[in-house]
Amino acid sequence: MNEKEARLAEFCRRGKWDGAGLRRRTNIAWLTDGADVHVDQTSTTGVAGLVWTPRKKIVLTTNIESP
């Protein structure tokens, strides 16, 4: 687990959450070291979301955006 994931794990532990869902482009970029999920530059959310737990990392998007 890298430093960012350790910080997120600690955040979830303190909140008594199993994990976190990320939709904001800036949060996804932070956790993934720069992944860009935007289509519309003016939108704060992208075409994909992340479900993060200490054990699993899942990317959610539409079929058209998955490639």
Side-chain angles (χ1 to χ4, degrees):
M1 184 178 296
N2 66 34
E3 180 183 344
K4 291 177 185 178
E5 288 191 75
R7 289 172 59 190
L8 189 53
E10 178 62 17
F11 174 80
C12 290
R13 186 191 65 74
R14 286 183 185 179
K16 298 182 181 174
W17 301 304
D18 293 331
L22 298 113
R23 287 282 297 144
R24 292 182 60 89
R25 292 172 44 207
T26 53
N27 294 342
I28 292 170
W30 172 78
L31 185 60
T32 62
D33 292 328
D36 188 3
V37 294
H38 86 278
V39 172
D40 177 359
Q41 282 288 97
T42 62
S43 176
T44 59
T45 59
V47 296
L50 298 179
V51 176
W52 181 93
T53 75
R55 293 189 182 117
K56 290 185 180 181
K57 288 81 178 153
I58 302 167
V59 177
L60 302 172
T61 192
T62 63
N63 288 340
I64 196 169
E65 297 297 342
S66 64

